[in-house]
């Protein structure tokens, strides 16, 4: 066909199809108000009254000498009484119960002596922390005299998917309540790059800044999906990488607070695990990396009673995949002690479905505290024989044994020992029980050599 013939066909088509020409050239006009004004404002109006501003203060002691808390150098640098100052913090919180329960971060209110909570309608209440956990960075407050407050419903955070739209509501930099939008950027985040390190966080690119801590991360149905807690930033401002504590953990904290618990009780795993990567998967004969592999099991662990041993792989808990060691601990934390859940695992290389009983760490019910009453430098130490509950509380190695320090009073307060230190040896005598320490403490000698463990390191100090 010649060029002239092709041109004739094209012109004939355009003349005989004017509707198509009009469609191609004329943009569509919005036909409704909803199409003209797309906005998050209905969700904001519904949820923002449930987000509060928190003003907290506490009295802290400042040591004039940098060696004041050092277990060795403190005996040479006596700085006298510490100087006190008031430390103030600003954050946010979320009303989760109409009768005055508010959830925030531990780092906002956990150690505060005075807490003032201001609602979006300018009402003010005095707040009191009734349940808190530093490791989880969650605190539950009770507002004095509050009732009929606008509580925010909690979503199932396990139903979140990457790409879901979310709003972050809080009080950044104290400028007043602010809303930022974004998406869920990632799920089950953990690791050394994340402030706090532990946990299983929701990652979002909704702007989170200082003051947003404890505020709400809400979905497009106006439900709480997370409590904003930290950001990854070199400048201190939002870099588009923020983290939130999942609502399912908030739900368990709220349940325990309403039940009158003053200390968060979570099921105890009693195991040490590591992630399964390509190398580990190949060594275990797995088709692909999945789950976590058991490396250590405490004899009293529920996992051990099921016949699981080191080298077995945990795949899922309560039908949710176990993505990392911290994700396993999170999965346990959102479940109540006493429940039984389905565990999928590879035991000796074979897939099994097991019923796992969730127990509290043995020793949680009571602690056998022993005070050293001798006149020597150890006088005033309050110690206890190690139990799984104390190992869990102080973050000690899973198989730790011996004696742990609970408090130091009297003469021993000057030694620089801290709660959670494990007393290993005194004057060449191994300390296995509190009775061993009581016996050694009665010695009448001029120089004492004390060996203790702190943060996985063995330290020694001499005391006259």
């Amino acid at each position: 066909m010649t060029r002239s013939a092709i041109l004739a066909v094209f012109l004939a088509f355009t003349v005989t199809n004017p509707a198509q020409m009009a469609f191609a050239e004329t943009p569509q006009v919005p036909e409704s108000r909803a199409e003209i004004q797309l906005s998050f404002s209905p969700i904001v109006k519904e949820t923002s009254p449930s987000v509060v501003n928190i003003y907290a203060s506490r009295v802290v002691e400042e040591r004039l000498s940098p060696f004041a808390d050092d277990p060795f150098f403190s005996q040479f640098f006596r700085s006298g009484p510490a100087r006190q100052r008031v430390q103030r913090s600003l954050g946010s919180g979320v009303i989760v119960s109409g009768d005055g329960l508010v959830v925030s971060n531990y780092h906002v209110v956990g150690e505060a002596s005075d807490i003032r909570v201001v609602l979006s309608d300018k009402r003010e209440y005095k707040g009191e922390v009734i349940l808190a956990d530093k490791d989880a960075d969650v605190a539950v407050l009770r507002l004095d005299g509050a009732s009929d407050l606008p509580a925010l419903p909690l979503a199932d955070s396990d139903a979140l998917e990457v790409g879901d739209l979310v709003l972050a509501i809080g009080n950044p930099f104290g400028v007043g309540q602010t809303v930022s939008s974004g998406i869920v950027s990632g799920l089950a985040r953990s690791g050394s790059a994340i402030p706090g390190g532990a946990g299983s966080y929701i990652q979002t690119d909704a702007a989170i800044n200082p003051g947003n801590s404890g505020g709400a991360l809400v979905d497009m149905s106006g439900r709480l999906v997370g409590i904003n807690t930290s950001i990854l930033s070199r400048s201190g401002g939002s870099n588009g990488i923020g983290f939130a504590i999942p609502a399912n953990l908030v739900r368990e904290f709220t349940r325990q607070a309403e039940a009158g618990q003053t200390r968060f009780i979570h099921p105890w795993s009693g195991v040490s695990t590591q992630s399964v990567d390509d190398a580990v998967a190949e060594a275990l004969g797995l088709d692909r990396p999945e789950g976590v592999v058991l490396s250590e099991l405490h004899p009293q662990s529920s996992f051990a009673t099921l016949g699981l041993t080191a080298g077995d792989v945990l795949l899922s808990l309560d039908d949710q995949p176990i993505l990392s060691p911290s994700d396993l601990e999170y999965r346990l934390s959102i479940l109540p002690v006493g429940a039984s859940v389905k565990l999928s695992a590879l035991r000796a290389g074979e897939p099994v479905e097991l019923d796992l009983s969730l127990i509290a760490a043995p020793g949680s019910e009571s602690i056998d505290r022993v005070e050293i009453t001798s006149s020597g430098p150890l006088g005033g130490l309050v110690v206890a024989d190690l139990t799984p509950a104390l190992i869990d509380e102080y973050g000690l190695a899973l198989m730790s044994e011996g004696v742990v320090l609970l408090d130091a009073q009297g003469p021993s307060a000057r030694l620089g020992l801290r709660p959670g230190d494990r007393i290993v040896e005194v004057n060449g005598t191994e300390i296995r029980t509190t009775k061993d320490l009581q016996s050694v403490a009665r010695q009448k000698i001029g120089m004492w050599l004390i060996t203790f463990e702190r943060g996985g390191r063995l330290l020694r100090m001499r005391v006259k």
Side-chain angles (χ1 to χ4, degrees), residues 77-92:
F77 295 89
R78 301 298 183 190
S79 57
R83 182 177 60 187
Q84 292 186 337
R85 68 178 180 88
V86 177
Q87 185 180 74
R88 292 180 172 83
S89 63
L90 172 69
S92 306

Side-chain angles (χ1 to χ4, degrees), residues 108-397:
V108 174
V109 298
E111 299 175 5
S113 55
D114 182 68
I115 303 171
R116 184 165 57 94
V117 178
V118 182
L119 275 62
S120 60
D121 60 9
K122 308 304 180 184
R123 283 182 292 171
E124 293 189 17
Y125 294 95
K126 181 178 178 58
E128 179 188 2
V129 176
I130 60 174
L131 178 63
D133 188 274
K134 187 174 183 178
D135 292 335
D137 198 19
V138 177
V140 182
L141 297 83
R142 171 76 69 184
L143 303 190
D144 186 23
S147 62
D148 297 324
L149 299 183
L152 197 59
L154 272 64
D156 177 9
S157 52
D158 283 338
L160 275 180
E161 295 185 2
V162 174
D164 284 350
L165 285 169
V166 287
L167 302 178
I169 309 176
N171 182 16
F173 298 107
V175 300
Q177 192 175 88
T178 302
V179 181
S180 56
S181 66
I183 63 170
V184 174
S185 306
L187 298 169
R189 296 300 201 206
S190 62
S192 59
I194 298 174
S200 186
Y201 297 105
I202 301 165
Q203 182 185 334
T204 178
D205 67 349
I208 296 174
N209 287 289
N212 273 112
S213 291
L217 191 70
V218 300
D219 62 12
M220 294 299 101
S221 297
R223 301 170 302 175
L224 182 73
V225 296
I227 295 291
N228 301 321
T229 184
S230 62
I231 58 176
L232 193 59
S233 172
R234 294 180 180 177
S235 64
S238 175
N239 256 358
I241 304 179
F243 302 98
I245 297 166
N248 286 354
L249 183 58
V250 174
R251 180 179 287 106
E252 181 59 18
F253 266 87
T254 303
R255 185 191 70 79
Q256 293 195 25
E258 290 176 331
Q261 292 280 0
T262 57
R263 180 172 171 268
F264 184 65
I265 304 296
H266 61 88
W268 176 65
S269 68
V271 299
S272 295
T273 62
Q274 68 179 84
S275 298
V276 177
D277 56 18
D278 284 337
V280 174
E282 183 178 356
L284 294 174
L286 302 179
D287 295 334
R288 59 184 176 86
E290 60 178 333
V292 295
V293 61
L294 294 167
S295 52
E296 273 187 321
L297 295 88
H298 194 282
Q300 294 175 275
S301 167
S302 293
F303 291 92
T305 60
L306 292 176
L308 295 168
T309 60
D312 290 340
V313 180
L314 308 181
L315 300 175
S316 69
L317 191 67
D318 199 23
D319 293 325
Q320 293 293 330
I322 300 170
L323 304 176
S324 66
S326 59
D327 191 50
L328 170 62
E329 297 300 329
Y330 165 74
R331 290 285 155 207
L332 292 171
S333 295
I334 65 177
L335 298 169
V337 171
S340 180
V341 296
K342 183 171 70 174
L343 171 70
S344 296
L346 294 176
R347 186 170 59 187
E350 297 296 325
V352 291
E353 297 284 339
L354 304 167
D355 291 324
L356 179 71
S357 298
L358 304 182
I359 64 171
S364 300
E365 302 80 11
S366 62
I367 299 175
D368 188 12
R369 300 166 64 95
V370 175
E371 183 175 354
I372 306 300
T373 58
S374 66
S375 59
L378 301 184
L381 285 182
V382 181
V383 294
D385 290 323
L386 271 172
T387 63
L390 290 172
I391 290 172
D392 186 55
E393 179 178 352
Y394 291 113
L396 303 177

